[in-house]
Amino acid sequence: MKRFIGFVTKEFYHIFRDKRTMFILFGMPIAQIMLFGFAITNEINNVNIAILDKSKDDETHKIIKKIRASEYFNIEQDIVNENQIESVFQKGKVKAVLVFETDFIKNLQTLKQAKVQVITDATDPNMANTIANYVNSILLNYTQEINKNSKASHLIQTQTQLYYNPELKSVFNFVPGVMTIILMLVSAMMTSISITREKELGTMEVLLVSPLKPFQVIIGKVFPYILLSIINATIILLLGFFVFGMPIEGNLFLLAFESVLFITTALSLGILISTVSNSQQTAMMLSLMGLMLPVILLSGFIFPVSSMPMALQIISNIIPAKWFIIIIKAILLKGATINVIWKETLILVGMTVFFIVVSIKKYKIRLE
Amino acid sequence: MTKEKIIAVQNLSKQFGNFIAVNSISFEVYKGEIFGFLGANGAGKTTAMKMLIGISKPTSGEALVAGFDVKTNTEMVKRSIGYMSQKFSMYDDLTIKENITFFGGIYGLSRNQIKEKTEKLVSQLELEDAVDKLVGSLPLGWKQKLSFSVALLHEPKIVFLDEPTGGVDPITRRQFWEMIYAEADKGTTIFVTTHYMDEAEYCDRVSIMVEGSIEALDTPKNLKKKYNVASMNDVFLKLARNVE
């Protein structure tokens, strides 16, 4: 035990004295959360739009007033004819133009139907979609109001309910995602680098010649990163909860247990990487290419797994991060208990055991 | 005076696939001796040494180090030896004191022992002012002496030095060999591999490995006489040429 403490102390000296390590460990999680939280967002706010009102009647004025009142849109300018549409888009100041047809109010009253055209600058397709949806919902809202007054409507309306994320907040997606990436990065990449560094410096040889057993060396090296990863996970969840209003519905102990499980999976992967690489660079490249990219692309964090081609869907199953994202979303958003996520949990356990067994085998071969 | 055997090697071999790195070597090393283990790069001396320090398993043959079998009792072998690798094997981002504490710790020394050892070692090496400096900031020669002293912290019976003087200036090398002599006088056995043939002259006995086998083993004086040359360098060249 005393040896173990000595070993861990030494490991912490390494970590705290290396600015780059410290940055990756503590700067990155905070930077990523802030970036995803404030900059990379699917929500829209104060989007500049232009209005071409060919009717200029009471109804259109009411609708425009309603749009102006919403926090989503900012009416940048009014234009007077269709020729201007192209030019306002080219200037790039507005992202969408709303066109009210001539005789809007007349059509609405006589035909019970009037048209509004929403033209979006679709250079950013996601944003165009979002803008169109937001405009639709404002208009829908408006028609509901007039229908209530006139009683004359027989319109069938769809009501969509977004159950776990009623406001479609992207924070609900990125907090679990960032947490997964960070835990993977810290646990797998940092441990594989720190183990290969000892190999590169020749100190690993000295450690192996000492009475310490190989597994004691590995545990001593890995332990500090378990602690740091837990701290990181806590920081991310706290930021998500207090700054971005991420709900935490489920049991905190279950959340902690699953996080530690995933940290262990990532660490065992890190150990595996360190057994096959002899330099810090190789370890870093392997971690980045072999872990980071799949985690970002195939885990379902950014692109939904269900809309991938079959081959990629199958591949995504071997990525631990995919299962962790499912687990953690279930706990945070749905308040899931172990009864719901036992299958995913077992998969992670299985993967961890597999990585550890393979590492031990590889390690032995190297010693022969 | 009867010589006490501290290392006894019998037909030790190591094979990687079809390649025989060490081919049935046998030799003995006596207590308190400075034993030079020479050979060109790739001659198999590193592989042979790795088997003796317990980090590589022999394919066949026997080796007793400090009385313990390297195959079956690796644990006790490791406790009885000290090791200094050619890379100096200390942590650059730890201070002298922290390095000593760490290495003392993994060999199971108590806190008091470590404190005592640190004071003694630092005063011997005249490093009192540098004790809280990072090892990375020290000149190579100091690192090397420090590394040797750290390998001796747990008072091992045998110290294995793997090319300890690579890249160091002649004066420092000279000082380093004085430290080795002083340690050998205390009864510690020194097992040293080296490239420098002038250093071979400092050893009590040397063995020369060529292509996995020990081609010569004797005192430097006898070897020079046997091959009728003036220096160990010439002995080495002669042996290497015979094989080619």
Side-chain angles (χ1 to χ4, degrees):
Chain A
M1 197 57 205
K2 219 182 66 211
R3 284 186 203 179
F4 180 70
I5 292 170
F7 203 107
V8 171
T9 312
K10 176 218 106 176
E11 213 49 47
F12 274 117
Y13 285 139
H14 289 322
I15 294 168
F16 290 138
R17 284 178 190 170
D18 185 23
K19 284 195 189 106
R20 275 177 304 173
T21 310
M22 284 301 281
F23 176 74
I24 293 180
L25 282 179
F26 295 107
M28 278 247 312
I30 296 172
Q32 284 218 16
I33 280 285
M34 291 300 170
L35 261 178
F36 276 100
F38 289 120
I40 308 165
T41 164
N42 299 323
E43 296 154 43
I44 58 169
N45 257 323
N46 292 322
V47 174
N48 290 331
I49 57 169
I51 305 259
L52 171 54
D53 187 356
K54 295 189 207 161
S55 181
K56 290 201 195 306
D57 52 50
D58 277 357
E59 288 295 332
T60 59
H61 282 162
K62 272 191 215 161
I63 296 177
I64 293 170
K65 212 174 131 197
K66 217 170 155 52
I67 291 174
R68 197 190 296 277
S70 83
E71 55 181 305
Y72 310 119
F73 298 109
N74 177 24
I75 299 173
E76 171 76 17
Q77 64 185 115
D78 290 304
I79 52 180
V80 290
N81 64 54
E82 262 120 358
N83 300 334
Q84 281 177 288
I85 295 176
E86 174 88 33
S87 77
V88 291
F89 276 146
Q90 292 215 331
K91 280 184 200 144
K93 267 195 169 171
V94 307
K95 292 286 173 197
V97 177
L98 256 59
V99 186
F100 293 92
E101 65 177 341
T102 37
D103 302 329
F104 187 88
I105 194 164
K106 208 173 113 201
N107 289 343
L108 195 67
Q109 281 161 356
T110 55
L111 305 170
K112 296 275 172 218
Q113 194 177 353
K115 284 183 189 143
V116 183
Q117 193 182 17
V118 185
I119 307 173
T120 52
D121 161 2
T123 44
D124 178 347
N126 284 334
M127 187 152 182
N129 251 328
T130 320
I131 290 173
N133 286 336
Y134 277 56
V135 171
N136 267 337
S137 74
I138 291 175
L139 292 176
L140 197 73
N141 203 308
Y142 184 77
T143 35
Q144 276 173 342
E145 272 172 36
I146 45 176
N147 285 341
K148 222 188 298 171
N149 298 334
S150 71
K151 292 184 232 168
S153 95
H154 303 285
L155 276 174
I156 296 173
Q157 285 170 350
T158 344
Q159 255 197 334
T160 320
Q161 195 179 6
L162 303 160
Y163 202 76
Y164 291 116
N165 191 357
E167 291 161 81
L168 275 183
K169 280 195 170 172
S170 48
V171 58
F172 292 6
N173 185 40
F174 79 76
V175 168
V178 169
M179 187 160 151
T180 311
I181 292 187
I182 296 289
L183 292 185
M184 201 62 171
L185 187 77
V186 170
S187 311
M189 185 163 109
M190 299 310 279
T191 44
S192 66
I193 289 180
S194 97
I195 293 175
T196 42
R197 185 167 75 159
E198 299 247 5
K199 283 200 210 171
E200 217 174 283
L201 294 176
T203 42
M204 187 53 100
E205 216 179 17
V206 177
L207 296 180
L208 290 176
V209 176
S210 80
L212 287 178
K213 297 200 172 66
F215 80 88
Q216 290 174 314
V217 174
I218 298 296
I219 291 176
K221 292 220 59 98
V222 158
F223 183 76
Y225 290 98
I226 298 183
L227 280 186
L228 293 172
S229 301
I230 292 175
I231 293 174
N232 258 328
T234 315
I235 292 177
I236 294 171
L237 285 174
L238 286 178
L239 276 178
F241 186 76
F242 286 111
V243 182
F244 299 108
M246 174 88 197
I248 301 180
E249 300 286 345
N251 186 309
L252 282 180
F253 288 105
L254 184 63
L255 182 63
F257 166 77
E258 297 285 353
S259 304
V260 171
L261 173 64
F262 181 65
I263 291 169
T264 319
T265 316
L267 288 172
S268 55
L269 250 176
I271 296 172
L272 183 62
I273 290 175
S274 71
T275 59
V276 296
S277 43
N278 279 316
S279 72
Q280 294 180 69
Q281 256 136 349
T282 322
M284 193 152 99
M285 287 314 289
L286 269 177
S287 311
L288 282 177
M289 306 294 282
L291 298 179
M292 294 308 293
L293 284 180
V295 167
I296 294 173
L297 299 176
L298 294 177
S299 65
F301 168 33
I302 295 179
F303 309 110
V305 175
S306 54
S307 45
M308 289 176 194
M310 205 50 190
L312 286 183
Q313 285 195 33
I314 294 170
I315 295 176
S316 77
N317 286 330
I318 59 167
I319 292 168
K322 176 192 156 175
W323 303 107
F324 183 63
I325 286 186
I326 295 176
I327 291 174
I328 196 167
K329 273 190 179 170
I331 298 179
L332 291 179
L333 300 177
K334 305 181 193 169
T337 55
I338 190 75
N339 297 332
V340 184
I341 49 174
W342 64 270
K343 210 177 77 188
E344 287 81 6
T345 309
L346 270 187
I347 292 175
L348 278 187
V349 170
M351 285 178 166
T352 312
V353 172
F354 174 77
F355 293 140
I356 291 176
V357 169
V358 175
S359 312
I360 293 173
K361 283 238 164 89
K362 287 253 173 211
Y363 201 83
K364 280 211 173 122
I365 291 169
R366 214 169 52 80
L367 280 184
E368 286 293 306
Chain B
M1 187 181 107
T2 50
K3 288 180 182 173
E4 190 189 328
K5 278 186 225 164
I6 192 123
I7 302 177
V9 178
Q10 272 294 320
N11 304 322
L12 194 68
S13 296
K14 178 80 188 186
Q15 201 168 344
F16 298 103
N18 285 327
F19 174 67
I20 301 170
V22 175
N23 188 4
S24 188
I25 58 172
S26 304
F27 63 91
E28 279 158 3
V29 179
Y30 305 110
K31 188 172 182 291
E33 185 176 43
I34 301 176
F35 188 83
F37 202 59
L38 315 187
N41 283 333
K45 61 182 191 311
T46 306
T47 314
M49 191 167 82
K50 278 189 173 169
M51 288 190 276
L52 296 182
I53 60 179
I55 56 174
S56 175
K57 284 214 166 88
T59 313
S60 64
E62 297 279 323
L64 293 180
V65 172
F68 303 107
D69 190 327
V70 295
K71 271 190 197 163
T72 53
N73 211 344
T74 324
E75 174 87 26
M76 286 311 293
V77 169
K78 286 180 176 177
R79 284 181 190 278
S80 319
I81 62 171
Y83 174 63
M84 173 181 166
S85 89
Q86 47 187 319
K87 288 179 181 165
F88 300 117
S89 48
M90 304 198 65
Y91 295 100
D92 278 352
D93 53 347
L94 264 56
T95 65
I96 294 179
K97 201 171 167 185
E98 287 159 355
N99 263 297
I100 297 173
T101 311
F102 173 69
F103 284 105
I106 63 173
Y107 277 95
L109 300 190
S110 72
R111 198 166 299 159
N112 283 335
Q113 279 173 308
I114 291 175
K115 208 179 151 205
E116 216 172 275
K117 287 274 180 189
T118 309
E119 278 166 17
K120 208 172 122 194
L121 196 155
V122 165
S123 74
Q124 265 173 8
L125 295 175
E126 296 168 4
L127 284 173
E128 285 94 342
D129 299 332
V131 72
D132 287 319
K133 274 192 186 157
L134 295 184
V135 166
S137 67
L138 298 178
L140 195 59
W142 283 23
K143 280 195 207 175
Q144 177 198 47
K145 288 181 212 165
L146 194 61
S147 185
F148 181 62
S149 309
V150 167
L152 294 167
L153 269 184
H154 57 294
E155 296 171 9
K157 290 181 181 149
I158 313 161
V159 198
F160 288 85
L161 309 174
D162 189 8
E163 296 182 10
T165 53
V168 192
D169 64 85
I171 297 167
T172 317
R173 259 168 70 194
R174 181 76 226 172
Q175 290 171 344
F176 187 71
W177 273 92
E178 275 161 20
M179 285 178 75
I180 293 181
Y181 275 121
E183 199 53 41
D185 280 345
K186 285 190 225 159
T188 311
T189 310
I190 316 280
F191 186 101
V192 55
T193 72
T194 179
H195 276 320
Y196 298 104
M197 287 306 143
D198 58 325
E199 286 187 351
E201 314 261 2
Y202 305 149
C203 299
D204 293 326
R205 284 192 311 147
V206 296
S207 79
I208 300 179
M209 262 186 105
V210 181
E211 295 190 349
S213 309
I214 292 182
E215 290 296 319
L217 197 174
D218 212 332
T219 61
K221 204 173 140 195
N222 288 347
L223 282 175
K224 281 184 277 189
K225 209 171 172 186
K226 183 177 168 194
Y227 292 95
N228 195 25
V229 287
S231 71
M232 278 306 293
N233 203 20
D234 294 333
V235 173
F236 189 74
L237 287 176
K238 227 171 185 173
L239 275 168
R241 268 193 205 124
N242 281 349
V243 172
E244 280 164 23

